[in-house]
Amino acid sequence: MVEVFAVASGKGGTGKTTSTVALGMALAGRYDVTVVDADTGMANLLFHAGLSDVETTLHDVLADEAPVDTATYERFGMTVVPCGTSLDGFRDSDPTRLREVVATLAADTDVILLDSPPALDSRAAVLPVVMADRAVVVLQPTIPAISDGLKVQEYATSYDTDIAGLLFNKVRDDGIDEIAEKTERYFEGPTLSAIPESECAREARRAGRPLLAHAPESAAAEAYRSAADALTVRDGESDDVADRFRSAVIPERP
Ligand code: ADP
Ligand code: MG
């Protein structure tokens, strides 16, 4: 079985990477989880997972210079596929190869989380959202962020990618229940959790460790665990998912 999720949002800095790694760790208690840094232009998952020194990354795989298995690392109970951060690495990589990468990974894992690029204006940027089974939309509870999130939903659903749910992040105010209730009316998925604004999240990032490893008792970590509990993973046939990825048509002009 396998299900592929895109962790997406309209803008950068909302907490996609933090959320990808945290959800991955939380789901790893129940599933075999693989997280992939599919934000190949602004990769930073490696910094969240203690992988900043690794030799081989997704860039090498997308440049057809290394097989996928040389860019996978077992960390924090998950399989992690980090991406490099150099501009040359990005330039030399062919984003469409991500289809083959995910198809290969699908044979051997239950859940794939694709940390996705924020904007939807290039082939590299739309690929995860187009190809995933479902998208988790990460939102800060502000009008502009919610409006961006709606664009992500519109785009995703136009390619038959369902919405798994909303993850409110960096939540400061007490009124979040009311905001979530109103926001849910416009989205096709439930609210999975509201993650509080948390110094622990920033500290974890600075320490190069996932939040759930760095501060497992924090309120933010607890909120991510409840998000993972709210997510029922569907058990697609690995072969079907792999075939779908291999044959996916990527929009020429997103
Ligand atoms: P994105 O991948 O969407 O660009 P990141 O996950 O890299 O966003 O997060 C951006 C910054 O916000 C990082 O410094 C991260 O530590 C911080 N951050 C993420 N979630 C929280 C939170 N709940 N509270 C406080 N800071 C957070
Ligand atoms: Mg990121």
Side-chain angles (χ1 to χ4, degrees):
M1 63 162 273
V2 68
E3 183 168 15
V4 183
F5 295 92
V7 180
S9 75
K11 282 200 175 54
T14 52
K16 285 178 304 298
T17 304
T18 303
S19 299
T20 304
V21 174
L23 277 180
M25 268 190 79
L27 288 166
R30 285 182 286 150
Y31 302 101
D32 189 319
V33 176
T34 301
V35 301
V36 181
D37 193 348
D39 190 358
T40 55
M42 290 286 175
N44 59 3
L45 196 146
L46 75 177
F47 301 122
H48 290 250
L51 292 169
S52 47
D53 298 333
V54 297
E55 181 89 5
T56 310
T57 77
L58 184 62
H59 271 163
D60 304 298
V61 182
L62 297 180
D64 207 14
E65 283 167 3
V68 185
D69 60 352
T70 61
T72 65
Y73 301 86
E74 300 304 316
R75 293 290 188 282
F76 305 102
M78 310 175 277
T79 301
V80 183
V81 184
C83 187
T85 54
S86 78
L87 199 51
D88 284 346
F90 177 60
R91 233 182 257 130
D92 294 343
S93 63
D94 171 0
T96 63
R97 286 210 177 91
L98 186 65
R99 291 176 302 178
E100 186 59 36
V101 169
V102 176
T104 304
L105 294 168
D108 217 22
T109 194
D110 303 331
V111 177
I112 297 178
L113 298 175
L114 304 174
D115 184 8
S116 307
L120 296 172
D121 53 7
S122 72
R123 298 185 92 202
V126 298
L127 231 129
V129 167
V130 168
M131 295 190 312
D133 294 293
R134 288 191 285 166
V136 173
V137 182
V138 182
L139 296 168
Q140 283 172 245
T142 64
I143 300 288
I146 291 166
S147 146
D148 285 346
L150 279 169
K151 283 180 212 141
V152 172
Q153 163 169 286
E154 193 183 334
Y155 197 84
T157 53
S158 73
Y159 286 97
D160 290 330
T161 300
D162 294 337
I163 303 302
L166 311 178
L167 205 50
F168 287 96
N169 190 27
K170 304 192 185 185
V171 174
R172 291 168 190 273
D173 37 24
D174 300 332
I176 186 64
D177 288 347
E178 205 182 319
I179 295 172
E181 196 192 308
K182 280 196 189 128
T183 308
E184 268 182 6
R185 288 184 212 149
Y186 300 97
F187 281 90
E188 292 175 24
T191 299
L192 298 171
S193 191
I195 318 295
E197 165 79 29
S198 161
E199 187 51 34
C200 295
R202 278 186 291 269
E203 276 170 15
R205 163 69 183 76
R206 283 195 290 271
R209 284 159 60 77
L211 172 68
L212 269 68
H214 189 75
E217 306 304 327
S218 61
E222 182 53 39
Y224 275 117
R225 284 190 292 267
S226 79
D229 288 345
L231 207 58
T232 310
V233 175
R234 301 173 183 166
D235 50 353
E237 280 297 326
S238 301
D239 289 347
D240 295 348
V241 173
D243 288 347
R244 195 184 79 227
F245 271 80
R246 287 202 172 92
S247 61
V249 177
I250 302 156
E252 200 55 59
R253 304 182 63 209

